[in-house]
Amino acid sequence: MTRAARLALVTAAAAIAALVLGMIAGGRAFPRIIPGLPDAGAVVRWGLPLSKLLMDAAGVITVGLLLMAAALLPNDKGVLGKSAVEYVKAASWAALAWAGAAFLSIVFGVADSMGRSVPQILDRAFLTSYATQTTQGVALTLVVLFGVAIALFSRGAITAGAAAGLLVFAMVTLLPAPLTGHTSSSPNHDLATSSVSLHLLSLALWTGGLGVLTLHALRKQPQLDVAAARFSRMALWCYAGVGLSGVFALVARLGAVSDLWTTEYGLLAVAKIVLFVLLGYIGYWHRQRTLADLEARKPRAFTRLAGGEMVLMFATIGVAVALSRTPPPEYSVPADRAFDLLGFPLPPPLTLGNIFSLWWLDLFFAVVAAVLAGLYGAGLLRLRRRGDRWSWGRTASWYIGVALLVFCTQSGLARYAKVMFDVHMIEHMTLSMVVPIFLVLGGPVTLALRALKPAARRGDRGPREWITTILHSRFTKVVTHPVVATAIFVASTYALYFTPLFESAMNEHLGHIWMTLHFLISGCLFFWVIIGVDPGPNRLPYVWRLLMLFVTMPFHAFFGIALMMMGSVIASGWYEQLGRTWGDTLLQTQRDGGAIAWGFGEIPTLIVLLAIAVQWYKDDDRQARRADRRAERGAGGDPELDSYNAYLARLNRADKGE
């Protein structure tokens, strides 16, 4: 038996052992059977967590294989090397196992929910009903479909771009099943949803990457030192993401600190924390010792330590699956429908003081804002250390945009935006028409291209090369076309509010995140075309930029007028459930929101006009100075003037008979 096979068996045994111990500690292994109530039996009781463990492990391995191919191993001008192609093909089989394990989870899930054995529920009607009408069943069905799609598309992927796309697809596939478990029923479901998402993605990249890296070392494949160095840099961020998200996930589920040692759920969480700390210590040992051994051509030290870390990682996954089967501790929450929907009590009557004082952590956008601010600051620091200059105006613009993003998503404005339509419209307009202006004027792509170093290996793709590739991709050319960017910016607003999409997005935290992200991204796309200072595939003359601005802004005014003239309430089901008794009626707040949409466009229009005027003036000034330099060098300053002077010279020579 090869060393890789032995390590795989030990790792699987550790994961199963951790699952069994966790089930016993959580009281789910041998539950008390109440006479008269249906019981699915031991096969289902153990088959469901084991199938979920297999599903999680297959998902992590799929992510690791695609990560290794797309980012850790060098490529040649976007074409995958031999080892990378092998890993992508292996990801096809791992994704197929992922889909199969998800199907088994559906079967055992039906049996568990109905309290019957597996042979009793092997009926098309039972399976179809569970897979299409329950949240957990729909989530598992999505995993089956997405897993099969990844398996099919991985068969022919030979480029780094295709592998990266499949990696993103696989990471999305990780999310549906866990987000429909305890997370969705947590009182603070907004915080729980965001923290679990960050936790899963960080853990999958960390665990899957290390697993495939260890396999690469055991197979004695080339370029191990490069892949290990890249993984080490990524693993540090993944460790921070797992730790941060784990803390917030516990905060969302535990009613008190004492629940950590007084409940089965808390004890399992403590066991997971201990394993997490051990993994951090081993990771630190990796950075200090084994990377140096790899550079010294001593790979055995790396494989020994990485193998031990892999066993601990998959044991942690086993504990996590047991934790998902253990109900979190119960604690009293207000018997309030608004609290169930919002995750916080209905705020008091709207005042300016409450907007600035009732702050509420939205973990997702807090992380987004921190990443935007941190990466920009890191780029500035690198330029400064190198002795290069960067415009203070661009820096101020960027951080003004980030500050406005924080205010819109974390302050009392975000609370009231979920309760009142007019406040929601203020948030919407600010996120789509003010924040993007300051962000695109910050020139983040230009800063990144100047701050990042080219890839160490010629033909390989580092972060700088990936940015350049994306900028020149066909997708970027299409979405930054003025017509497409304008259509996305304008038409999506009408499609959101005049269809059931808005109410659906308000009812789900993930839907609200996607809606807010859409406001931000569509606005950045539109204003990048008009006033963006970064290089792009479609650069318009300044006159056309003005025309694009003046053609687009009236559509927001028409949208506002349409809202003011409506006689019915948009998303009435959502707002009526909240039971707000103060302030204006639902219809009046909607009309106020229409008035805000109608008049709000003047503010961004003025800012954009000022930005275009300054850019136009600076561009003319640069062209004039460039012409002056050409004239000083004797090359001529103006092509038309040069042509006219040459014409006069020819006439002069003809008159002289030359």
Side-chain angles (χ1 to χ4, degrees), residues 281 374 596:
Y281 176 75
I596 291 169

Side-chain angles (χ1 to χ4, degrees), residues 153-510:
F153 289 121
S154 297
R155 301 301 299 173
I158 60 172
T159 64
L166 289 169
L167 173 62
V168 174
F169 195 13
M171 292 172 66
V172 171
T173 309
L174 287 171
L175 298 178
L179 294 184
T180 54
H182 298 324
T183 301
S184 59
S185 60
S186 173
N188 194 347
H189 45 77
D190 288 7
L191 181 60
T193 299
S194 298
S195 58
V196 166
S197 300
L198 177 60
H199 193 76
L200 286 171
L201 297 179
S202 301
L203 187 62
L205 290 171
W206 184 22
T207 307
L210 180 64
V212 181
L213 189 64
T214 306
L215 175 65
H216 194 77
L218 292 174
R219 295 176 63 212
K220 298 181 180 180
Q221 294 294 306
Q223 301 172 326
L224 175 62
D225 54 340
V226 177
R230 292 180 177 180
F231 173 78
S232 179
R233 291 190 292 268
M234 184 200 73
L236 180 61
W237 292 102
C238 290
Y239 186 80
V242 170
L244 177 68
S245 59
V247 170
F248 284 113
L250 282 177
V251 169
R253 290 184 177 89
L254 300 182
V257 178
S258 59
D259 289 338
L260 285 172
W261 56 84
T262 58
T263 64
E264 292 86 354
Y265 188 91
L267 291 174
L268 286 176
V270 170
K272 190 176 176 183
I273 292 172
V274 171
L275 291 174
F276 174 74
V277 173
L278 288 175
L279 287 173
Y281 176 75
I282 295 176
Y284 170 78
W285 193 269
H286 257 308
R287 294 181 66 88
Q288 297 296 316
R289 298 292 182 90
T290 61
L291 291 182
D293 290 338
L294 283 178
E295 293 179 357
R297 305 298 180 184
K298 299 177 181 178
R300 292 185 65 85
F302 172 83
T303 55
R304 285 196 298 269
L305 194 57
E309 189 174 2
M310 278 298 304
V311 172
L312 274 178
M313 280 185 169
F314 276 84
T316 305
I317 293 176
V319 173
V321 173
L323 197 63
S324 69
R325 295 291 297 159
T326 305
E330 297 182 359
Y331 55 92
S332 60
V333 296
D336 183 10
R337 180 58 176 163
F339 188 92
D340 293 338
L341 294 171
L342 299 172
F344 52 83
L346 190 72
L350 176 64
T351 63
L352 189 62
N354 287 338
I355 287 180
F356 284 94
S357 61
L358 295 178
W359 288 76
W360 175 258
L361 176 64
D362 187 321
L363 181 61
F364 180 86
F365 286 102
V367 171
V368 170
V371 169
L372 292 178
L375 290 179
Y376 200 92
L380 291 176
L381 182 61
R382 179 169 291 186
L383 288 185
R384 184 175 181 180
R385 288 176 176 175
R386 206 165 60 197
D388 292 343
R389 293 184 177 181
W390 184 255
S391 168
W392 66 268
R394 293 185 181 182
T395 303
S397 177
W398 178 263
Y399 282 105
I400 289 173
V402 173
L404 288 173
L405 174 63
V406 171
F407 182 76
C408 286
T409 58
Q410 312 293 321
S411 70
L413 183 70
R415 288 206 191 200
Y416 285 101
K418 293 184 176 182
V419 177
M420 304 181 69
F421 187 85
D422 49 358
V423 181
H424 165 81
M425 193 54 61
I426 295 175
E427 182 189 47
H428 171 183
M429 291 297 167
T430 305
L431 287 170
S432 64
M433 300 178 67
V434 179
V435 174
I437 292 175
F438 290 101
L439 292 181
V440 299
L441 288 176
V445 177
T446 303
L447 176 63
L449 292 176
R450 289 184 57 184
L452 293 171
K453 297 179 181 179
R457 294 170 176 261
R458 187 176 181 85
D460 192 14
R461 281 186 183 175
R464 193 176 190 276
E465 288 73 20
W466 275 110
I467 293 174
T468 305
T469 300
I470 294 172
L471 279 177
H472 293 89
S473 67
R474 184 177 301 176
F475 174 79
T476 303
K477 290 179 181 179
V478 171
V479 297
T480 59
H481 190 280
V483 175
V484 177
T486 303
I488 294 174
F489 184 63
V490 174
S492 59
T493 301
Y494 288 84
L496 175 66
Y497 291 99
F498 296 142
T499 66
L501 286 176
F502 177 63
E503 185 167 1
S504 299
M506 295 297 287
N507 274 292
E508 298 290 341
H509 179 57
L510 287 178

Side-chain angles (χ1 to χ4, degrees), residues 51-65 90-91 93-102 170 174 208 314 317:
S51 63
K52 288 188 174 182
L53 176 61
L54 176 60
M55 182 179 70
D56 291 345
V60 166
I61 293 171
T62 303
V63 168
L65 290 166
W93 293 105
L96 201 59
W98 192 3
L174 287 171
F314 276 84
I317 293 176

